[in-house]
């Protein structure tokens, strides 16, 4: 058996060792999940709802423990980590209302009645990336369980601690054995097996576009259901008529939160030319004032990168480029980089095109509304974006024209669990969260009953 040493990214010190599952152990867990499925799907809706609420209460009772685990494992600021643990609780509470409301339809037909059912798929495999280990796990496993599926979940190799704890808390809350199983391991072993094992009926994947394409291709072999939440290179569009002070003050947090390791990071800022100088001046002040300190400190606004490898990859984008300005960075052995702002007018530049997944933002001027929309859409990605303007008509036109799944006007809204979330183009396939998420974990069955 192989193991992985978890490293605290803020200090580069080892935290603990985690055993990594083999293919045989993964198969055994999938078979246990399959064995648990018939009984779980027969649990009465109200009882399944009660179990999910009980799970939420247990998560809430361990909120601080989960948050501290994430600070140590992932370098998330304690403020963010508490929000993330609270998000798992809230998602459990939200979808605890789903079992009793998984309505089918009654469709008028001659000679009898026609009704539809939303039936669970069986075993669902959830594959989670390292950037938001708790929320992204919950967005997959909670609606899947609510719809009557059993779940096997693979955390990212480098960030397994909170997922493992959530698996233990599920049992403490009374979920039957085998209904929700966390399997720490490598993507090439456990993740691949979710794709190839015929008992796994759906793969719910969040991660890079590159791996997502391979998963989609692998799932095609068995016509396996798949949801993909992939990368992004989202635009923050600031028109000259906007509240420039507000736009500039909020822009750093829209990209540097979680050290830029956020698929929704607004990593391209488009600023209308007449407001460009004012915006940049105010942005410099805002970036310079960020608190990039020990993530365990209550005041911390940005922590380290997840690994030395990720830090080096991000730094690679900056080699040979002169930053316009940077924010602070602590003296530390951990994997830190300062928030960094680069200016460009080259739409082919790597900093403008590629998802850097680190604390780097590129700023570019534009001339008019058409120009802004064209530049915003000049990307293979389409996950999120922001629009700052005081003109309501323009806000609406641009929001409808930008090819992305999640847009916010005069704000940088983070993901709300009760609204749908997902990407256009190569940012993903399908939607998570919102009122319809349980349907993504069901098959719709149509039944006709003759009256004579
Ligand atoms: P990644 O390399 O694609 O890994 C994501 C997950 O897939 C990890 O658990 C990984 O396991 C696993 N995996 C890797 N290779 C696999 C394979 N061949 N088969 C099955 N599973 C496999 O992505 P990452 O580096 O962790 O995360 C960064 C990326 O995720 C960014 O591109 C970001 O935009 C994207 N992301 C998107 C969203 C969204 O909602 N759209 C949210 C968060 C992140 P290992 O840990 O063993 O590598
Ligand atoms: Mg990876």
């Amino acid at each position: 058996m192989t193991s992985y040493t978890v490293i605290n990214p803020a200090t580069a010190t080892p935290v603990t060792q985690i055993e990594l599952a083999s293919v045989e152990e993964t198969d055994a867990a999938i078979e246990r999940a399959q064995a648990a499925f018939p009984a779980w799907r027969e649990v009465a809706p109200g009882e399944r709802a009660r179990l999910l609420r009980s799970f939420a209460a247990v998560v809430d009772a361990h909120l601080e423990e989960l948050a501290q685990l994430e600070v140590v494992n992932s370098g998330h600021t304690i403020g963010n980590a508490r929000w993330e643990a609270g998000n798992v609780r809230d998602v459990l509470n939200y979808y605890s209302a789903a079992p009793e409301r998984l309505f089918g339809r009654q469709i008028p037909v001659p000679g009898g009645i026609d009704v539809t059912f939303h039936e669970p798929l069986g075993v669902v495999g959830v594959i989670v990336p390292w950037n938001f280990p708790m929320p992204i796990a919950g967005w997959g496993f909670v609606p899947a369980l609510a719809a009557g599926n059993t779940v096997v979940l693979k955390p990212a190799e480098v960030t397994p601690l909170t997922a493992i704890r959530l698996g233990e808390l599920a049992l403490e809350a009374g979920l039957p054995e085998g209904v929700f199983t966390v399997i720490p391991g490598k993507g090439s072993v456990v993740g691949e097996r979710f794709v190839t094992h015929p008992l796994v009926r759906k793969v719910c994947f969040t991660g890079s576009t590159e791996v997502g394409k391979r998963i989609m291709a692998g799932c095609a072999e068995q016509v396996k259901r798949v949801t993909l939440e992939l990368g992004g290179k989202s635009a923050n569009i600031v028109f000259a008529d906007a509240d420039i002070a507000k736009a500039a003050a909020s822009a750093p947090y829209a990209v540097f939160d979680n050290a830029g390791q956020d698929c929704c990071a607004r990593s391209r800022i488009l600023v209308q030319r007449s407001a460009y100088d004012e915006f940049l001046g105010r942005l410099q002040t805002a970036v310079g004032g960020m608190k990039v300190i020990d993530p365990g400190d209550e005041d911390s606004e940005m922590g380290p990168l997840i690994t030395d490898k990720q830090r080096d990859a991000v730094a690679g984008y900056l080699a040979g480029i002169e930053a316009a300005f940077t924010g602070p960075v602590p003296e530390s052995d951990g994997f830190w980089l300062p928030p960094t702002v680069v200016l460009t007018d080259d739409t082919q530049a790597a900093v403008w095109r590629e998802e850097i997944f680190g604390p780097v933002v590129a700023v570019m001027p534009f001339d008019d509304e058409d120009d802004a929309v064209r530049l915003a859409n000049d990307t293979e990605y389409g996950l999120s974006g922001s629009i700052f303007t005081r003109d309501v008509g323009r806000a609406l036109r641009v929001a409808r024209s930008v090819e992305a799944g999640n847009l916010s006007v005069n704000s940088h809204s983070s993901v709300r669990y009760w609204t749908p979330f997902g990407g256009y183009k190569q940012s993903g396939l399908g939607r998570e969260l919102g009122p319809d998420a349980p349907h993504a974990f069901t098959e719709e069955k149509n039944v006709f009953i003759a009256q004579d």
Side-chain angles (χ1 to χ4, degrees), residues 130 207-208 210-211 309-310:
W130 47 257
S208 61
E210 181 194 353
V211 175
K309 200 170 137 232
Q310 184 68 10

Side-chain angles (χ1 to χ4, degrees), residues 127-132 136 139 154-158 185-188 191-192 195 205-209 211-212 214-215 229-232 262-263 355 357 383 421 427 432:
I127 302 175
V128 182
W130 47 257
N131 62 333
F132 288 109
I136 292 174
W139 303 349
K154 191 201 94 64
E157 187 182 1
V158 297
K186 286 184 179 298
S188 55
E192 288 260 9
V195 174
F205 172 82
T206 304
S208 61
T209 297
V211 175
R214 287 182 48 193
I215 290 193
E229 296 287 359
L230 310 175
D262 182 339
C263 48
E355 180 182 50
F357 228 57
L383 192 53
F421 175 69
S427 281
E432 296 192 294

Side-chain angles (χ1 to χ4, degrees), residues 258-440:
N258 205 28
Q261 303 165 118
D262 182 339
C263 48
C264 289
R266 272 63 162 181
S267 53
R268 296 185 297 152
I269 305 180
L270 284 159
V271 188
Q272 196 159 19
R273 210 175 290 277
S274 57
Y276 187 71
D277 290 342
E278 183 195 347
F279 180 87
L280 275 186
R282 291 182 182 275
L283 182 66
Q284 183 162 11
T285 307
V287 171
M290 283 191 79
K291 294 201 168 51
V292 185
I293 53 176
D294 172 8
D297 189 314
E298 299 281 335
D299 291 331
S300 182
E301 292 180 329
M302 189 183 119
L305 281 292
I306 187 71
T307 54
D308 51 354
K309 200 170 137 232
Q310 184 68 10
R311 181 202 46 202
D312 295 347
V314 174
Y317 280 98
L318 298 169
I321 290 182
E322 204 184 329
F325 47 87
T326 61
V329 67
E331 286 280 333
S332 166
D333 291 332
F335 314 131
W336 298 80
L337 285 175
T340 300
V341 178
V342 299
L343 310 181
T344 183
D345 52 13
D346 175 8
T347 58
Q348 298 310 309
V351 287
W352 187 255
R353 296 215 81 79
E354 293 179 30
E355 180 182 50
I356 297 177
F357 228 57
V360 179
V361 70
V363 188
M364 186 182 287
F366 70 87
D367 293 312
D368 58 19
E369 194 176 308
D370 286 348
D371 200 23
V373 169
R374 185 181 53 76
L375 288 165
N377 286 338
D378 179 21
T379 168
E380 293 302 332
Y381 293 116
L383 192 53
S384 63
S386 305
I387 300 148
F388 281 76
T389 176
R390 286 192 171 99
D391 180 333
V392 177
R394 164 176 284 158
L396 196 51
R397 284 192 302 275
V398 176
R400 296 300 301 269
S401 302
V402 173
E403 299 162 342
N406 304 83
L407 292 160
S408 51
V409 174
N410 295 326
S411 60
H412 306 285
S413 67
S414 58
V415 180
R416 295 188 180 85
Y417 56 81
W418 63 102
T419 62
F421 175 69
Y424 277 40
K425 301 195 280 188
Q426 294 193 25
S427 281
L429 186 74
R431 291 292 178 269
E432 296 192 294
L433 298 174
D436 300 328
H439 285 174

Side-chain angles (χ1 to χ4, degrees), residues 37 41 102 116-122 147-149 438-439 441-447:
F37 173 58
R41 72 174 286 172
L102 209 55
T116 66
F117 299 89
H118 292 285
E119 299 196 337
L121 303 168
N149 303 277
H439 285 174
F441 296 98
T442 64
E443 291 288 3
E444 190 173 27
K445 178 178 282 177
N446 192 71
V447 177

